[in-house]
Amino acid sequence: VNDVQIVRAGPGRLDDLASLWRSMQEHHRSVDPAIPGIPPRSADDSWPRRRAKYVEWLRHPDAFILLAEQASSPVGYALVSIHEPADDTHMTGDRWAELQSLSVEPSRRGSGLGTRLVERVYEELRVSGIEELAIGVIATNERAMRFYERQGFRPWVVTTLGKVPKSTQ
Ligand SMILES: CC(C)(COP(=O)(O)OP(=O)(O)OC[C@H]1O[C@@H](n2cnc3c(N)ncnc32)[C@H](O)[C@@H]1OP(=O)(O)O)[C@@H](O)C(=O)NCCC(=O)NCCS
């Protein structure tokens, strides 16, 4: 992990994230909650949709990608978007952040790179004067949940998903 550099990047590096998104999506498929009638998308279907969202989020001047590279090869990333204004239910600042994605290449997981990436996310946010960070986690991704709880984060809003029931008439 020590020879891995973490660099802040903008939309010009989006195409470098494709295979890391793919491996995160594969992990998500392996922990999928199996909601009846709503299977996860394939990585091929999912990446262009996700990429388009990244482009939108990165329009905000305080949004960013942190790319972990080893010998110029991407081995992990974090992508952070910014919300304005303050959340209306909790006492956040006028701007608050959301960690939209965190991915480490499968062969490197469990060696501290994810922790380095989130610590660098905090540094970037401190520089921007942003004090709150939300992180969405698939409810059945228990190891990721444990990772964030160890960092001091707690479940907040739980989103449920299901099919609209068929009409009985
Ligand atoms: C979650 C993730 C970014 C953490 O990065 P990392 O470099 O593996 O994390 P670290 O080595 O700093 O810390 C290890 C901790 O990460 C968590 N973790 C989550 N998924 C893991 C995985 N597949 N392998 C190893 N650790 C994982 C665990 O809490 C682990 O601690 P544990 O060994 O006590 O279970 C990385 O494991 C990953 O990319 N996982 C798959 C994708 C994913 O779930 N992303 C989060 C989406 S919200």
Side-chain angles (χ1 to χ4, degrees), residues 31-159:
V31 296
D32 187 70
I35 297 167
I38 316 182
R41 293 186 191 278
S42 69
D44 282 346
D45 185 8
S46 156
W47 170 243
R49 295 168 189 271
R50 189 64 173 186
R51 193 187 185 289
K53 283 193 175 169
Y54 284 169
V55 168
E56 276 305 307
W57 287 324
L58 291 168
R59 288 191 208 285
H60 193 288
D62 293 319
F64 57 88
I65 301 168
L66 291 179
L67 191 55
E69 296 181 301
Q70 186 176 41
S72 306
S73 253
V75 293
Y77 77 98
L79 190 141
V80 173
S81 69
I82 307 297
H83 295 286
E84 294 183 57
D87 176 73
D88 51 9
T89 61
H90 284 74
M91 299 284 290
T92 66
D94 285 346
R95 292 168 307 156
W96 51 288
E98 183 164 357
L99 179 61
Q100 296 288 355
S101 304
L102 179 68
S103 177
V104 166
E105 189 190 77
S107 66
R108 290 165 192 274
R109 290 178 193 159
S111 320
L113 182 54
T115 303
R116 267 185 70 192
L117 276 165
V118 293
E119 285 174 350
R120 180 68 189 277
V121 165
Y122 307 151
E123 266 177 56
E124 298 292 329
L125 293 175
R126 283 192 286 263
V127 168
S128 301
I130 294 173
E131 296 187 13
E132 294 86 19
L133 176 65
I135 307 171
V137 186
I138 292 180
T140 43
N141 194 355
E142 287 173 14
R143 290 191 75 182
M145 186 64 88
R146 190 158 72 226
F147 176 86
Y148 297 126
E149 291 203 335
R150 205 178 286 143
Q151 297 283 325
F153 293 82
R154 296 292 175 265
W156 174 32
V157 178
V158 177
T159 304

Side-chain angles (χ1 to χ4, degrees), residues 35-38 161-168:
I35 297 167
I38 316 182
L161 177 66
K163 286 286 198 194
V164 174
K166 293 246 187 307
S167 165
T168 50

Side-chain angles (χ1 to χ4, degrees), residues 16-33:
D16 290 323
L17 309 183
S19 74
L20 289 162
W21 168 261
R22 211 168 255 283
S23 59
M24 181 162 62
Q25 174 82 357
E26 258 161 43
H27 180 74
H28 282 161
R29 290 169 74 86
S30 76
V31 296
D32 187 70

